[in-house]
Amino acid sequence: MPHITVDYSESLSDAFDRRGFALELHPLTAEVIKDTVDNCKTRFRRVEETFVADGAPEHAVIHVEFVILQGRTETVKAELSHAVLELIRKHVASTPGVMVHTSVDVSELGKAYRKHVMV
C-alpha cells in the first residue's frame, strides 16, 4: 500500500520519464498520505491504443490510479491528485503536435485487503 498504476499511451514511450517520475512519486506520496516510501509500489502499463475525442493521433493519455488504505480525508486525496498532476508535467518531454491528457484517481482498498511480503 499504496498501489499505484500508471497507464500511458504508447506514443509517449520515449517522452515519459517513468523511472524519474516514480523516484519522485514515491516520496511525494509518502509525505502527503503519511506513509513510508517502502510501501509504495508502482507499475507502468503501456497502452497500445488510446482513443480520445475524435480519435485523432495527436492525443495521448497518462492516467494514474492510486489505491490506498482507508481513512484518508477527501482533502488529502485531492492534495495527492493535484501534486501528482504537477509531477507528471515535469516528467513528460514536450512533443510537438501531441496533446497529453493527464488524470489521477485516488480510491481506497476494501476492508478485506491483506498484505504479505515474501523474503
Side-chain angles (χ1 to χ4, degrees), residues 2 5 16 33 37 40 45 47-49 55 69 75 86 94-95 97 100 103 112:
T5 304
F16 183 23
I33 69 169
V37 170
C40 293
R45 298 188 300 198
V47 179
E48 285 183 30
E49 186 174 358
L69 289 176
T75 302
E86 290 297 320
S94 178
T95 306
V100 181
S103 57

Side-chain angles (χ1 to χ4, degrees), residues 35-75:
D35 204 330
T36 65
V37 170
D38 291 345
N39 284 331
C40 293
K41 300 160 200 73
T42 299
R43 62 188 168 140
F44 293 92
R45 298 188 300 198
R46 183 179 58 238
V47 179
E48 285 183 30
E49 186 174 358
T50 53
F51 196 95
V52 178
D54 61 359
E58 65 267 11
H59 294 283
V61 173
I62 297 176
H63 177 70
V64 182
E65 184 175 331
F66 284 84
V67 186
I68 62 176
L69 289 176
Q70 296 179 357
R72 279 27 180 245
T73 65
E74 292 303 314
T75 302

Side-chain angles (χ1 to χ4, degrees), residues 20-41:
F21 176 71
L23 286 170
E24 286 192 57
L25 177 65
H26 290 180
L28 170 82
T29 301
E31 179 181 334
V32 172
I33 69 169
K34 307 298 184 237
D35 204 330
T36 65
V37 170
D38 291 345
N39 284 331
C40 293
K41 300 160 200 73

